[in-house]
Amino acid sequence: MDATSANCQTSPSTALSLDELIDSLVASHRTIVDDLPYVGSSCCLAATRSLVEDEVSVLDARLTGEEDRRRLDGLREWLEQELVRLEPWFHERGEPRPSWVVDRQVMSLCVRQRLIMSNALDLEASDPLAKRRLDSGFDLVSLLVGLYVRDETRLAHYALDRYLRLSGDYSLTRLISVFAVCRSLAGASRALQRWESGRGTAFHLAEIMTECRRYFELAEQAANFRFPPLIIGVGVSGSGKSRFMAEIVERLGAVRLCSDVERRRLYGIDSQAVAQEPAVDIFSAEATERTYQRLASLAGLLLNGGIPTCIDATCLTRSQRQLLQQQGEARGLPVLFVSFEADEETLRARIVKRARRQGGDPATSLEVLNRQLDMCEDFSDEERQQLLHLDTTAENVGETLAMLVEKRIRLSYS
């Protein structure tokens, strides 16, 4: 594994920030989807099965400790069961492809001038794993495992959230645990292969086995059954939802479902093309209803995949909140409302500042705020039992919110 404390001394042309890497993955995978009309096949499932067989076989031949072999047997059994259970989801994926790293120059990953990985996906182009034709989401999982094994947990959480939000490939979350276990086993087998090829000292062997077992630990964590919470943000424009939801994402490993992103995606508008003028009224009552239906559907998909889910939308009416709340409660999962609050003077000042920064008309934005304030419906008695109030003008709000959410979720499980 690469040291994570080194400064990033590589040339800018051979170094990527995490945002740049995610954006490149999304663009690459989107091109694959656009260029290859989906006809449905079992190729992705077959490719994953083949990978499992090969990596397990390598580890089976090299592991000698009884406990290590027991862990491998448990993971192999879990994978076999999951591949059968998730077969319909594999069939809905596109055609497998070689990794993003193939035919590219070696790119390192740097965050704030800190070298994270010398190979951006923790995968060398010469590695047979990179050349295998696998699901496009395997690239993302390779990045995530590389970050987790280096204890870069918050970066991994950020990367998952950004990739899903930009790509819209939420169905990947049903398979992500399988891919994470596969990638972790591949990491363990690469570690053992390095030992055999290097013929190092007993001390070196101890280091290799520590690394190998760290990958086993990650694989077991990915395979663990989870009860993810559903966190529903409530608040008008300028209340600070998006800003402070980001703290929850990085602390809990949640994925954010943003109403503005999904509203635009419904109408075929690139979520990053903020200057693109919609051809239709995407803020009509019908469009808003469709948006909340989509948020509810996606929330159910993420929760089924064991992913903690945050709803970043105004959620001003009880009917909107109830629609989303049902996704968690129908699955027996904890649901938490977070009301993001600020005085009207602060709200208006934030709205004007944001409009000017984005080159918009502050007066138009203030009109939107006024309509939202008029639409706000009080929380019901039932909602108040699952409600946190958050004053976003207070100090250390992000840290406070994350701590309150974690405490409330722990109480839900106890």
Side-chain angles (χ1 to χ4, degrees):
M1 295 183 289
D2 301 316
T4 59
S5 59
N7 291 329
C8 196
Q9 303 292 336
T10 57
S11 164
S13 63
T14 59
L16 290 173
S17 70
L18 189 53
D19 281 358
E20 290 171 335
L21 176 56
I22 294 297
D23 291 353
S24 181
L25 288 177
V26 170
S28 174
H29 297 165
R30 182 178 295 154
T31 300
I32 291 174
V33 172
D34 291 344
D35 290 349
L36 294 169
Y38 174 64
V39 295
S41 74
S42 60
C43 292
C44 183
L45 177 60
T48 306
R49 275 207 173 104
S50 176
L51 174 62
V52 169
E53 292 170 0
D54 290 350
E55 297 299 344
V56 168
S57 177
V58 168
L59 286 168
D60 203 24
R62 288 175 167 79
L63 290 173
T64 57
E66 182 178 339
E67 176 63 16
D68 294 328
R69 295 182 67 84
R70 184 193 63 77
R71 298 174 79 177
L72 177 62
D73 288 341
L75 291 167
R76 171 169 40 195
E77 181 179 353
W78 181 86
L79 282 167
E80 290 173 352
Q81 294 173 351
E82 288 297 285
L83 290 175
V84 172
R85 185 177 71 85
L86 297 173
E87 183 171 350
W89 289 93
F90 277 99
H91 289 326
E92 293 185 4
R93 303 296 294 174
E95 293 295 317
R97 282 287 181 271
S99 173
W100 172 90
V101 303
V102 174
D103 297 329
R104 293 178 186 266
Q105 65 173 329
V106 176
M107 305 291 285
S108 62
L109 175 63
C110 292
V111 175
R112 299 185 184 92
Q113 297 300 308
R114 185 165 60 94
L115 177 64
I116 304 298
M117 294 189 288
S118 57
N119 289 291
L121 298 186
D122 200 23
L123 187 63
E124 297 181 4
S126 59
D127 191 317
L129 181 62
K131 299 175 183 178
R132 297 185 79 120
R133 302 173 79 85
L134 297 166
D135 184 274
S136 59
F138 201 84
D139 280 336
L140 172 68
V141 174
S142 187
L143 168 64
L144 298 179
V145 171
L147 292 172
Y148 281 126
V149 82
R150 291 166 175 77
D151 294 320
E152 297 287 352
T153 302
R154 291 182 70 112
L155 291 182
H157 292 168
Y158 175 86
L160 174 62
D161 176 66
R162 182 177 178 85
Y163 180 89
L164 293 178
R165 187 170 66 256
L166 296 184
S167 69
D169 187 11
Y170 297 105
S171 66
L172 172 62
T173 58
R174 293 304 304 272
L175 307 177
I176 205 166
S177 293
V178 168
F179 293 154
V181 173
C182 291
R183 184 62 184 88
S184 297
L185 292 182
S189 68
R190 298 306 180 275
L192 293 178
Q193 287 171 334
R194 287 202 307 276
W195 159 254
E196 288 193 352
S197 62
R199 295 182 180 179
T201 63
F203 178 76
H204 184 215
L205 176 59
E207 287 186 327
I208 289 293
M209 291 310 302
T210 297
E211 181 180 348
C212 178
R213 287 163 186 154
R214 172 59 175 148
Y215 278 113
F216 274 168
E217 178 185 342
L218 288 176
E220 289 166 344
Q221 289 174 0
N224 282 342
F225 186 76
R226 296 178 293 274
F227 293 90
L230 173 62
I231 302 166
I232 302 172
V234 182
V236 297
S237 298
S239 61
K241 293 186 309 301
S242 298
R243 174 185 172 190
F244 296 115
M245 279 273 191
E247 182 70 21
I248 300 177
V249 165
E250 293 189 26
R251 284 280 289 263
L252 300 183
V255 167
R256 210 172 0 160
L257 293 174
C258 302
S259 59
D260 57 341
V261 171
E262 300 311 321
R263 185 187 296 269
R264 296 172 74 86
R265 187 172 279 131
L266 272 172
Y267 291 90
I269 302 171
D270 188 340
S271 60
Q272 291 184 291
V274 293
Q276 185 175 344
E277 188 66 27
V280 296
D281 182 5
I282 66 172
F283 294 98
S284 66
E286 178 186 0
T288 296
E289 183 177 356
R290 286 187 62 197
T291 300
Y292 277 88
Q293 290 285 352
R294 178 173 176 81
L295 291 173
S297 175
L298 293 176
L301 183 62
L302 290 173
L303 294 172
N304 285 342
I307 307 293
T309 303
C310 294
I311 305 295
D312 184 355
T314 57
C315 300
L316 300 179
T317 70
R318 290 183 183 178
S319 62
Q320 291 169 346
R321 298 193 292 266
Q322 185 177 26
L323 176 67
L324 297 166
Q325 180 181 5
Q326 288 171 348
Q327 295 299 317
E329 292 187 342
R331 294 166 171 81
L333 298 172
V335 177
L336 183 63
F337 295 100
V338 180
S339 178
F340 294 86
E341 300 164 0
D343 59 87
E344 285 197 29
E345 182 180 353
T346 298
L347 290 174
R348 297 182 188 283
R350 289 174 177 174
I351 289 294
V352 169
K353 181 178 179 180
R354 183 169 65 186
R356 288 173 176 166
R357 184 176 67 246
Q358 296 176 350
D361 179 8
T364 301
S365 298
L366 289 172
E367 288 177 7
V368 172
L369 174 61
N370 289 333
R371 288 198 298 270
Q372 290 178 347
L373 290 171
D374 291 338
M375 287 175 56
C376 288
E377 294 182 3
D378 289 339
F379 292 99
S380 66
D381 291 340
E382 180 186 358
E383 289 174 328
R384 289 192 180 95
Q385 297 176 16
Q386 304 163 286
L387 175 63
L388 286 176
H389 291 279
L390 190 75
D391 179 2
T392 61
T393 64
E395 294 183 1
N396 303 317
V397 179
E399 188 73 14
T400 299
L401 173 60
M403 291 175 60
L404 288 172
V405 169
E406 288 177 325
K407 181 179 179 180
R408 185 66 68 91
I409 290 171
R410 283 197 300 270
L411 289 174
S412 298
Y413 291 139
S414 62

